Amino acid sequence: MTLRIIENFDGNFNLEPQAKENLFKLLAGETFLNQICRNLHCEKVEFTELLFQPVPYSTATPKGMPAEFEKYHESNEYVIVNVPLNFMFIAKIFQPSRLCAIYRKIG
């Protein structure tokens, strides 16, 4: 078995406007926000409306995310959450197959 090293991976994606609107409603829903808060033991979080597609680990992307999102990973003020697959299915998003959402901690 050999490993294939990926030098470049295009993590860009476009969502249909209706699918994006449906997904954002789910990600900003009170029940989901409360669930995130319970897991983080924080008072409140808000959805920043920032999404990214996870990318393969490489020297250019050591955290498995596009470089412009690494500042959120390194900050204690933000949390990165995998978008639940059922949310993607409800919003009718099938490509990309995985997304991450960024939330800002409040309090």
Side-chain angles (χ1 to χ4, degrees):
M1 185 170 133
T2 62
L3 293 176
R4 191 178 95 197
I5 297 174
I6 298 174
E7 293 296 327
N8 292 311
F9 180 85
D10 185 7
N12 293 323
F13 62 94
N14 288 313
L15 300 178
E16 295 294 325
Q18 187 62 49
K20 183 177 178 179
E21 181 181 332
N22 292 338
L23 182 61
F24 280 21
K25 283 181 186 175
L26 293 166
L27 293 172
E30 187 175 340
T31 303
F32 191 61
L33 295 177
N34 290 336
Q35 182 181 358
I36 293 170
C37 288
R38 277 194 308 275
N39 288 335
L40 293 176
H41 307 290
C42 70
E43 196 172 308
K44 189 175 176 183
V45 294
E46 87 178 345
F47 178 45
T48 63
E49 298 189 356
L50 295 173
L51 297 172
F52 67 87
Q53 179 182 5
V55 297
Y57 294 96
S58 70
T59 54
T61 57
K63 297 194 181 348
M65 63 183 67
E68 63 266 23
F69 292 100
E70 287 184 9
K71 63 184 176 188
Y72 299 105
H73 181 271
E74 296 164 357
S75 172
N76 289 331
E77 294 180 38
Y78 294 90
V79 63
I80 297 171
V81 175
N82 285 313
V83 174
L85 291 178
N86 62 320
F87 283 14
M88 302 218 7
F89 181 76
I90 291 167
K92 295 181 172 61
I93 298 171
F94 305 106
Q95 285 297 329
S97 61
R98 292 179 48 215
L99 288 173
C100 293
I102 299 175
Y103 289 83
R104 186 171 65 89
K105 297 178 192 176
I106 302 171

